[in-house]
Amino acid sequence: MKIFLTAPPGLGKSTVVESVVRGYPGSKCGVVAREILDDEGKRVGFTSVNAVGQSKQFMSIAKVIGSGSIGGVFDVDIEAIDTFVVSELHKGLQNPHALIYVDEIGRAQAQSVAFLAVVQDLIQSERNVIATIVY
């Protein structure tokens, strides 16, 4: 089973993935992306959270306005994606019974060659996968 969800931001893609993961009775492995907000509620970055609650920030506000790799606003930590996100997805590929979840397959993550390769492996695998894709 492969399920990929895409829609404009704010329509509940991540909520659907998190609901499926919570209700899945077997083993599961993957990551969800969560916004990091400042005290005023302004988005200042993103972190990935795995199945056991560990997290790693992979995107932050660019130090120089207009210099960020995502729309000139955010810098992407490709090493964080490679060492944390890709590692979690590889764990899922090693477990033939796990549900593998990816929230999200987006512009930031796509800057990592290793991330793109593991997503391709997921698609070609026999594993159960649920993922969100940037709209």
Side-chain angles (χ1 to χ4, degrees), residues 99-122:
L99 169 67
I100 304 170
Y101 58 96
V102 188
D103 174 46
E104 74 180 60
I105 301 168
R107 290 179 293 276
Q109 295 87 344
Q111 292 187 34
S112 162
V113 173
F115 177 81
L116 293 176
V118 77
V119 167
Q120 186 173 27
D121 290 345
L122 288 172

Side-chain angles (χ1 to χ4, degrees), residues 19-128:
S19 293
V20 169
V21 169
R22 255 192 322 275
Y24 189 76
S27 60
K28 44 206 158 210
C29 196
V31 292
V32 294
R34 297 236 169 89
E35 289 181 315
I36 301 171
L37 304 175
D38 66 11
D39 293 338
E40 299 170 358
K42 181 180 173 188
R43 181 186 294 164
V44 295
F46 284 87
T47 188
S48 282
V49 181
N50 68 12
V52 295
Q54 297 168 318
S55 64
K56 181 81 172 173
Q57 185 171 349
F58 68 93
M59 226 162 77
S60 58
I61 292 286
K63 291 179 175 74
V64 177
I65 300 299
S67 69
S69 57
I70 299 293
V73 178
F74 290 100
D75 284 327
V76 177
D77 183 345
I78 294 172
E79 183 179 345
I81 293 170
D82 289 350
T83 59
F84 186 77
V85 175
V86 172
S87 172
E88 290 298 313
L89 300 178
H90 275 293
K91 287 178 194 174
L93 281 167
Q94 294 170 5
N95 182 343
H97 305 291
L99 169 67
I100 304 170
Y101 58 96
V102 188
D103 174 46
E104 74 180 60
I105 301 168
R107 290 179 293 276
Q109 295 87 344
Q111 292 187 34
S112 162
V113 173
F115 177 81
L116 293 176
V118 77
V119 167
Q120 186 173 27
D121 290 345
L122 288 172
I123 291 168
Q124 294 173 351
S125 76
E126 296 294 321
R127 305 299 185 265
N128 293 321

